[in-house]
Amino acid sequence: MADLRGAYDDLFAAVPTALAALLDGGDVGGSVAVFVDGEPVVDVWGGFADAARTVPWQRDTIVNVWSVTKTMTALCALVLADRGELDPDAPVARYWPEFATAGKEAVLVRHLLSHTAGLPDWDGPVAEIYDWQAATTRLAAQAPQWEPGSAAGYHSLTQGFLVGEVVRRITGRSPGEFFADEIAGPLGADFRMGLPAEHDHRVAPTVPPPSRDEDYIAGAARSAPARTAPNPSSSTAPNASSGPSAATAATAAAGPSVPTAIRLRDGNSVAWRRAQIPAASGFGNARSVALVQSAMACGGTVRGVRLLSRAGCDRAWEEQFSGEDRVLGMPISWGLGYGRFGGTYGWGGWGGSMVMIEPEARMVVAYVTNQMREPAEDTRGLDIVMAAYDGLKGLQADG
């Protein structure tokens, strides 16, 4: 079995076993964390940080988590909403006046967070995403593809700039700066949007799927096996969750987290690391992802640090849209910045990284990896989540 490092509660032994199986099956490297009540019950890592398998994955190895970054950007907006500085029901133009053009006057902040604004496509050159002013100016000039709020279509790259510019207009700080100052800093979380050069040596570059190279691009979502995450409060687990299943989350995680214009080599570039692309360029490890999102699982307070109120957390779970997503091509339920999957919430990134939040059990499961797989074959995040639920059932039995 693959050699793992770290620590875990014996009740959650299925989680490191699942990670070891992935590494034994050919994955290069990765890390998994499960937090309950804001504290780790699993924090393990293994494999290698490079495709040549010469650099072991270390405790502080970090990786681009792609669209898991969206959950961090959403949390910034939710914190501002909880403070009364951002109204989700307000027109975006209240905070960003230049946005009120080309039929976007009625676009609300909640439309940005729930992928219903009608601006799913990036139609500019890749180089422009590294220039914040150019990217947001381009989006401000675009016309929506549908009546805002009437349909959903996954805003794979654009959502981060849209929500991030609202954050910047309110606070005077970029979303990466706000996240660092108000969320990651107080929590001591090793997660960044806009990675300084001094952290480059810790980065595990993303490895393409077998038989692919760095010109590999994101494609459309494909079907995942129809498995459902267990609901620990149900006597009929593991098939009792209602609404879109965790299999939907796995499909979304493995699928179109970035637009087809983006190649893997773009995501591995220095320019990508330095830029703030708040939908797709966050760097961290499973520990930091789980720690930050424990705020949402634990009523807004983690380890004595209060980020927002319980009501502010609950706002994220309010359903904004349920139905067929025009871009993902599958049914989904969107909250404010998070996908809703039965009793769990979260999102995943291109290549397999994933975070799922179980507020009833105050649990967060995070998995990050540098190894991509083809979307149709990738259920790794779901496997990790299922293993975590095995531990949760044991924990509840002991309690």
Side-chain angles (χ1 to χ4, degrees):
M1 190 168 80
D3 182 26
L4 299 184
R5 302 184 67 183
Y8 59 92
D9 187 304
D10 287 343
L11 290 172
F12 288 83
V15 177
T17 298
L19 176 61
L22 295 177
L23 297 173
D24 287 338
D27 281 7
V28 176
S31 65
V32 176
V34 181
F35 277 45
V36 177
D37 285 325
E39 296 296 334
V41 293
V42 177
D43 181 8
V44 295
W45 57 93
F48 297 89
D50 65 324
R53 300 175 189 257
T54 62
V55 180
W57 191 291
Q58 303 288 346
R59 185 180 190 277
D60 67 347
T61 296
I62 55 177
V63 65
N64 181 11
V65 300
W66 300 95
S67 283
V68 171
T69 312
K70 289 180 173 67
T71 66
M72 306 300 180
T73 305
L75 183 54
C76 293
L78 291 167
V79 167
L80 289 174
D82 196 59
R83 295 175 181 176
E85 298 178 48
L86 171 62
D87 180 0
D89 289 316
V92 173
R94 175 184 297 180
Y95 311 103
W96 182 1
E98 299 91 334
F99 189 80
T101 60
K104 300 194 302 301
E105 295 82 359
V107 177
L108 307 180
V109 173
R110 68 172 61 252
H111 295 151
L112 304 184
L113 287 163
S114 60
H115 301 272
T116 60
L119 301 166
D121 297 334
W122 174 256
D123 64 2
V126 171
E128 206 170 85
I129 67 174
Y130 306 130
D131 182 331
W132 186 269
Q133 185 61 47
T136 54
T137 297
R138 176 177 293 276
L139 289 171
Q142 282 187 9
Q145 296 181 20
W146 59 79
E147 180 184 350
S150 67
Y154 185 47
H155 289 45
S156 57
L157 185 67
T158 59
Q159 190 203 41
F161 292 118
L162 294 167
V163 176
E165 180 64 3
V166 172
V167 170
R168 191 186 74 83
R169 294 293 179 118
I170 292 172
T171 67
R173 289 175 280 178
S174 70
E177 291 168 339
F178 180 85
F179 179 83
D181 294 344
E182 305 291 342
I183 297 175
L187 292 178
D190 187 14
F191 193 99
R192 292 166 180 83
M193 290 186 279
L195 190 71
E198 59 263 32
H199 298 287
D200 280 350
H201 69 283
R202 301 197 288 130
V203 173
T206 304
V207 179
S211 78
R212 301 280 192 165
D213 59 22
E214 284 205 328
D215 287 323
Y216 181 59
I217 59 175
R222 287 121 168 130
S223 298
R227 297 173 60 193
T228 320
N231 181 343
S233 65
S234 171
S235 61
T236 59
N239 295 309
S241 63
S242 61
S245 72
T248 308
T251 304
S257 297
V258 289
T260 54
I262 303 298
R263 301 167 301 170
L264 176 55
R265 70 172 64 254
D266 297 317
N268 279 336
S269 69
V270 172
W272 185 277
R273 294 180 192 176
R274 301 290 178 265
Q276 291 191 32
I277 308 169
S281 73
F283 284 81
N285 47 39
R287 182 187 317 110
S288 61
V289 172
L291 174 57
V292 171
Q293 294 302 326
S294 285
M296 302 306 294
C298 298
T301 300
V302 185
R303 298 180 177 179
V305 178
R306 184 182 183 276
L307 296 183
L308 68 171
S309 68
R310 180 172 295 278
C313 292
D314 291 344
R315 177 184 280 126
W317 319 138
E318 296 173 359
E319 188 172 72
Q320 306 298 309
F321 174 86
S322 180
E324 187 86 358
D325 185 289
R326 292 188 176 192
V327 174
L328 296 177
M330 61 186 181
I332 194 163
S333 173
W334 287 115
L336 284 178
Y338 295 80
R340 304 169 74 250
F341 309 100
T344 61
Y345 318 90
W347 199 241
W350 189 36
S353 296
M354 189 177 190
V355 62
M356 293 297 288
I357 304 161
E358 167 57 89
E360 184 176 339
R362 298 168 66 88
M363 180 176 77
V364 177
V365 183
Y367 164 63
V368 307
T369 178
N370 60 348
Q371 175 68 68
M372 286 186 159
R373 290 192 185 180
E374 296 290 354
E377 304 166 358
D378 197 353
T379 60
R380 292 173 294 173
L382 179 58
D383 292 341
I384 296 293
V385 170
M386 298 287 282
Y389 271 105
D390 287 342
L392 182 60
K393 286 187 288 187
L395 187 66
Q396 291 173 333
D398 280 1

